[in-house]
Amino acid sequence: QVQLLESGGGLVQAGGSLNLSCAASRDIFSIFTVAWYRQAPGKQRELVATITSGGSTNYPDSVKGRFTISRNNAKNTAYLQMNSLKPEDTAVYYCRAAGEKAAMPIYWGQGTQVTVSS
């Protein structure tokens, strides 16, 4: 069993920053793609950042230029640095790790709340 634990969420003012962390209970990130998702009340879950084991990153237009995903495989941890936060960024943020080899599992964290005040 692998657990993903998100941390770093909280309440910030618009324009502020937060750095989210996603720590895995086992050494898995070397062969896993890591992604951050978010879900706000009444809205569908959306992808906000992805990083492959090779370091390739992708972002949707809604966060591009403001969010940065990174990983430290030695620490079994991924990060999401969020700058210039907007009230529309308010959501529960979830970490997902997906194995890059055939038939490998997908793990989800429990989520961490991010609230941006106007």
Side-chain angles (χ1 to χ4, degrees):
Q1 294 289 329
V2 174
Q3 290 184 312
L4 302 178
L5 299 177
E6 299 99 332
S7 62
L11 174 64
V12 299
Q13 295 183 11
S17 298
L18 285 173
N19 190 9
L20 306 184
S21 297
C22 172
S25 61
R26 292 173 56 189
D27 184 12
I28 63 168
F29 282 177
S30 61
I31 56 173
F32 274 69
T33 290
V34 179
W36 287 93
Y37 289 77
R38 68 185 181 188
Q39 187 165 25
K43 301 187 68 175
Q44 294 185 344
R45 183 170 57 243
E46 64 174 333
L47 178 67
V48 297
T50 300
I51 184 167
T52 69
S53 62
S56 178
T57 60
N58 281 286
Y59 308 90
D61 290 341
S62 59
V63 307
K64 193 173 298 181
R66 299 188 299 119
F67 290 10
T68 302
I69 187 172
S70 62
R71 61 195 297 162
N72 187 327
N73 291 344
K75 296 182 178 180
N76 298 313
T77 303
Y79 308 92
L80 183 68
Q81 178 66 46
M82 304 185 295
N83 299 322
S84 301
L85 284 164
K86 306 173 182 179
E88 64 194 56
D89 295 320
T90 296
V92 177
Y93 284 71
Y94 298 92
C95 179
R96 186 185 80 162
E100 295 177 345
K101 296 184 180 295
M104 292 189 70
I106 296 173
Y107 302 102
W108 287 89
Q110 82 288 343
T112 185
Q113 177 71 49
V114 171
T115 302
V116 185
S117 62
S118 59

